[in-house]
């Protein structure tokens, strides 16, 4: 009987199910050479804001400049981004996405769109609507709890 209860609990483990879905999608992206969420955010910002300063980029991404500097260095080594000195002010650095970075951005967006299509094919329109409503309800509850925790500090 204990085994049956355990099976039922894991079968209806909402958080576990959601995490498995996300892990499965991320695993597929990694296997197909897709970019991580953080890298996608960085590349998307660079694509829209070519020549942005590292400071402005860090502020936009809400990360520490030191953390961003290391990321940019690695991406520069891989030919994904480029750092240039501003011709008007040699003290300023500009960060620009390279064609390889644009290609990664495009390919990863295409993979994510395939995933969206797959999900819309598997779930009916009513199930999609219900999934989104339930997900939003859970997000709201978690944000409320987090706000209460912060307010208690």
């Amino acid at each position: 009987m204990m085994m049956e209860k355990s099976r039922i609990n894991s079968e209806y483990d909402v958080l576990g199910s959601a995490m498995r879905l996300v892990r499965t999608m991320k695993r597929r992206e990694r296997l197909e050479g897709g970019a991580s969420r953080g890298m996608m955010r960085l590349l998307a910002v660079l694509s829209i804001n070519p020549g942005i300063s590292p400071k402005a980029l860090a502020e936009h991404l809400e990360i520490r400049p030191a953390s961003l500097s290391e990321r940019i260095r690695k991406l520069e080594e891989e030919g994904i981004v480029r750092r240039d000195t501003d011709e008007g002010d040699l003290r300023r650095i500009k960060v620009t996405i390279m064609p390889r970075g644009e290609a990664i951005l495009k390919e990863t967006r295409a993979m994510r769109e395939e995933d969206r299509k797959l999900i819309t094919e598997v779930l009916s329109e009513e199930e999609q609507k219900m999934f989104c409503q339930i997900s939003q309800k859970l997000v709201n509850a978690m944000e409320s709890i987090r706000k209460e925790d912060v307010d208690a500090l």
Side-chain angles (χ1 to χ4, degrees):
M1 185 67 176
M2 183 68 159
M3 185 178 232
E4 182 65 21
K5 183 177 181 185
S6 166
R7 187 187 66 76
I8 290 172
N9 285 343
S10 66
E11 184 177 344
Y12 298 108
D13 176 9
V14 174
L15 184 58
S17 294
M19 296 300 290
R20 277 192 301 282
L21 174 62
V22 170
R23 280 193 308 270
T24 301
M25 293 173 77
K26 285 181 182 270
R27 192 176 307 121
R28 179 175 145 2
E29 268 185 18
R30 279 194 308 272
L31 290 173
E32 294 185 18
S36 69
R37 181 177 175 269
M39 184 172 165
M40 282 295 291
R41 287 184 64 222
L42 189 146
L43 294 178
V45 171
L46 289 176
S47 182
I48 295 168
N49 302 286
I52 191 171
S53 73
K55 180 181 177 186
L57 182 58
E59 288 172 2
H60 189 83
L61 297 172
E62 298 178 342
I63 60 175
R64 294 185 340 243
S67 300
L68 178 63
S69 181
E70 180 62 22
R71 281 188 194 177
I72 290 173
R73 185 189 61 73
K74 288 178 182 178
L75 294 175
E76 190 174 29
E77 287 174 1
E78 294 176 28
I80 296 171
V81 302
R82 182 181 75 222
R83 281 187 280 198
D84 295 308
T85 305
D86 187 328
E87 293 173 10
D89 184 349
L90 299 178
R91 296 170 297 174
R92 291 181 39 101
I93 301 293
K94 301 184 303 183
V95 183
T96 307
I97 189 170
M98 299 295 292
R100 182 164 183 234
E102 289 283 5
I104 291 169
L105 189 61
K106 184 178 178 180
E107 290 166 13
T108 304
R109 283 179 173 161
M111 271 190 273
R112 290 180 180 175
E113 186 57 33
E114 281 179 37
D115 288 345
R116 282 186 195 91
K117 286 180 183 174
L118 174 67
I119 288 172
T120 58
E121 290 171 3
V122 171
L123 299 176
S124 71
E125 191 171 330
E126 184 63 30
E127 289 170 326
Q128 291 174 49
K129 183 178 177 181
M130 190 180 307
F131 180 83
C132 290
Q133 289 171 338
I134 292 169
S135 295
Q136 189 59 53
K137 187 175 184 178
L138 293 170
V139 167
N140 292 344
M142 294 304 293
E143 287 176 347
S144 175
I145 292 169
R146 184 178 308 132
K147 184 181 181 321
E148 289 172 11
D149 289 345
V150 169
D151 289 346
L153 296 176

